[in-house]
């Protein structure tokens, strides 16, 4: 019986060998490394070339990397630049090179113009191009080769997300000694939609190279198992999929299970109680004219997020007099996203045109209906916005989880505020005390927004207290430890 992966990952931090010659017991693989290159000005200030990226995945896994003999494999963000392995913040990093053509075909093409819309219920039309698929395979092989060269015997490898779905099978062929986990951060579509993908069988086979395939929701895991049965004829028993070779012999058993991701609750809660951030929240309200109600939307500028539906509902509430611009303001943060992809450029034009129309119709000299912010902000500013907002609007048309909803709840340490949450997000499975809504139903969305605006204080406290308890008990550390423990258990069971 092999040593469980979770046992290896609890070792104390040790002196690391040079990354150029190191071998690792634990490896995380994602499209991007967990660091961003500093600007010239920032580098002069702090003397660092790199800084840790924001985001829940990095927050969850960075402590494991520091404690274990681990490394993170990914692209460093600049095309046509080759870097040697390096260390940053107690993490060893193994860069994978991508050319400008790779970025165009593998990332912008197959990952984000084929898989992303397909996996999000075809809200936008996916495109199927063989050149994109060929690039996707080549880049996935490059990632797999980087891992195979750096992984110690019997190492644990955790592959992240839809850009790298072929890596598990490639790794299993090259290194059958490895323990391989995969986590899909976005939804997995039902077989009826997945059937459109010309390379559906290869994707399923790629994922089944894993010992454990994790998803955000039980329905996503069920969709995957149904697809494995339908397109591969796989034998599926409960959550286990028997993987066979060309001779029909079982090579291993892959397990599919839901592991809903979460956030660094302590970090958000601590920031929400800092006096300077509380003061910043007060300043935000003051700058907006101290309206009675501030509504907030925070999204990447993506067609899956339901921003157009949210703006339409808000405009109609102003139009019919349910809300007045003197009393209510909507802050919409729309972080730039995939701006080289045509669908995203069109979406930005539509959103900005809609905001301009609403403000042109309802703004006064003193009041703005929609404060639109096409920027990314540091976490401190985001927490100040969460504190300033009376109502959080999460109206995604399809979302694997939506961590913004959880961040808003974590920031409301006083148990005030209201969360309007799309039932098509993974977060709706955990935050059942939110005001759940079908964002396609504009009349229903309008009435739910008004219910949130008028929610009695005692009901608000009851709902927020229950939601905060849920995420305090299931934070991002709980997510990562639960997945890795299940992976270790799967490997032990298969070896026994």
């Amino acid at each position: 019986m092999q040593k469980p992966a979770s046992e290896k990952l609890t070792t104390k931090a040790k002196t690391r060998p040079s990354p150029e010659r190191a071998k690792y017991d634990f490896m995380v693989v994602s499209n991007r490394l967990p660091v961003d290159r500093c600007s010239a000005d920032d580098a002069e200030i702090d003397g660092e070339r790199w800084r840790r990226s924001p985001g829940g995945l990095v927050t969850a896994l960075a402590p494991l990397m520091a404690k274990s003999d681990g490394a993170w494999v990914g692209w460093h963000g600049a095309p046509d630049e080759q870097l040697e392995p390096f260390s940053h913040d107690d993490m060893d990093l193994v860069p994978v090179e991508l050319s400008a053509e790779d970025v165009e075909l593998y990332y912008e093409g197959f990952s984000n113009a084929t898989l992303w819309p397909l996996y999000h219920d075809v809200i936008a039309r996916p495109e199927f191009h063989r050149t994109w698929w060929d690039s996707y395979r080549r880049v996935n092989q490059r990632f797999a080769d980087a891992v195979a060269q750096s992984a110690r015997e019997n190492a644990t490898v955790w592959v992240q997300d839809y850009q790298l779905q072929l890596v598990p099978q490639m790794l299993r062929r090259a290194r059958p000694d490895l323990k391989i986990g995969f986590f899909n951060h976005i939804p997995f579509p039902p077989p009826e939609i997945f059937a459109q993908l010309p390379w559906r069988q290869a994707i399923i086979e790629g994922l089944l190279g894993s010992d454990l395939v994790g998803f955000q929701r039980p329905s996503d895991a069920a969709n995957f198992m149904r697809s494995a049965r339908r397109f591969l004829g796989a034998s599926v028993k409960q959550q286990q999929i028997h993987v066979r070779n060309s001779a029909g012999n079982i090579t291993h058993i892959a397990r599919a299970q839901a592991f809903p991701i979460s956030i660094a609750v302590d970090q958000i809660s601590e920031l929400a109680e800092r006096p300077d951030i509380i003061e910043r929240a007060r300043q935000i309200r003051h700058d907006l004219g101290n309206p009675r109600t501030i509504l907030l939307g925070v999204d990447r500028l993506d067609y899956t997020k339901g921003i157009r539906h949210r703006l339409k509902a808000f405009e109609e509430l102003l139009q019919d007099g349910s809300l007045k611009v003197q009393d209510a303001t909507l802050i919409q943060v729309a972080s730039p996203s995939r701006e080289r992809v045509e669908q995203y450029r069109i979406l930005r034009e539509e959103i900005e045109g809609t905001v301009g129309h609403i403000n042109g119709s309802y703004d006064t000299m003193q009041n703005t209906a929609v404060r639109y912010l096409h920027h990314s902000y540091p976490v401190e500013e985001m927490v100040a916005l969460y504190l300033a907002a009376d109502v959080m609007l999460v109206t995604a048309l399809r979302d694997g989880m939506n961590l913004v909803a959880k961040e808003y709840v974590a920031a409301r340490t006083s148990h005030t505020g209201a969360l309007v949450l799309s039932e098509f997000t993974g977060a709706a499975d955990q935050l059942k005390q939110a005001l759940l809504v079908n964002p396609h139903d504009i009349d229903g969305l309008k009435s739910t927004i008004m219910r949130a605006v008028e929610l009695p204080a005692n009901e608000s406290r009851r709902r927020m207290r229950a939601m905060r308890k849920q995420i305090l008990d299931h934070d991002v550390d709980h997510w990562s430890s639960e997945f890795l423990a299940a992976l270790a258990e799967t490997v032990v069971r298969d070896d026994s």
Side-chain angles (χ1 to χ4, degrees), residues 326-483:
Q326 294 84 358
D327 298 327
T329 296
L330 169 62
I331 302 174
Q332 176 60 59
V333 177
S335 303
S337 177
R338 301 167 188 164
E339 296 191 310
R340 290 174 50 177
V341 178
E342 180 65 18
Q343 289 173 327
Y344 289 79
R345 288 198 294 264
I346 293 170
L347 176 66
R348 178 178 178 181
E349 291 175 2
E350 290 179 354
I351 296 298
E352 293 180 353
T354 301
V355 170
H357 170 73
I358 294 172
N359 287 342
S361 300
Y362 297 101
D363 277 9
T364 69
M365 294 297 289
Q366 294 80 27
N367 305 105
T368 296
V370 181
R371 182 63 60 88
Y372 175 75
L373 305 167
H374 185 57
H375 306 288
S376 296
Y377 291 96
V379 64
E380 293 83 0
E381 183 73 358
M382 294 311 306
V383 172
L385 284 167
Y386 296 146
L387 291 179
D390 304 286
V391 178
M392 184 81 213
L393 301 178
V394 177
T395 58
L397 308 180
R398 191 76 167 93
D399 216 334
M401 178 52 61
N402 196 286
L403 296 180
V404 164
K406 294 188 175 185
E407 289 178 351
Y408 178 74
V409 171
R412 307 302 293 195
T413 57
S414 61
H415 301 130
T416 58
L419 172 63
V420 174
L421 180 61
S422 168
E423 62 191 53
F424 303 118
T425 64
D429 286 356
Q430 286 90 53
L431 304 180
K432 298 181 184 297
Q433 294 76 22
L435 300 176
L436 299 180
V437 66
N438 174 0
H440 298 282
D441 176 6
I442 300 300
D443 287 335
L445 179 54
K446 288 168 60 180
S447 63
T448 305
I449 290 173
M450 289 309 302
R451 185 181 172 195
V453 170
E454 298 166 354
L455 197 65
N458 60 344
E459 184 177 353
S460 172
R461 284 192 295 271
R462 176 181 62 79
R463 289 175 178 272
M464 196 61 68
R465 186 177 290 110
M467 290 190 288
R468 277 185 55 77
K469 183 180 188 307
Q470 203 286 333
I471 62 169
L472 284 167
D473 292 341
H474 300 86
D475 65 0
V476 71
D477 292 332
H478 178 271
W479 168 76
S480 60
S481 61
E482 186 180 36
F483 182 95

Side-chain angles (χ1 to χ4, degrees), residues 27 51 66 69 112 133 163 223 271 284 312 365 411 426 491:
M27 302 193 75
R51 63 158 55 100
D69 183 11
N112 291 321
W133 166 247
Q163 301 96 341
N223 286 341
L271 288 172
I284 289 170
K312 182 174 181 60
M365 294 297 289
V491 173

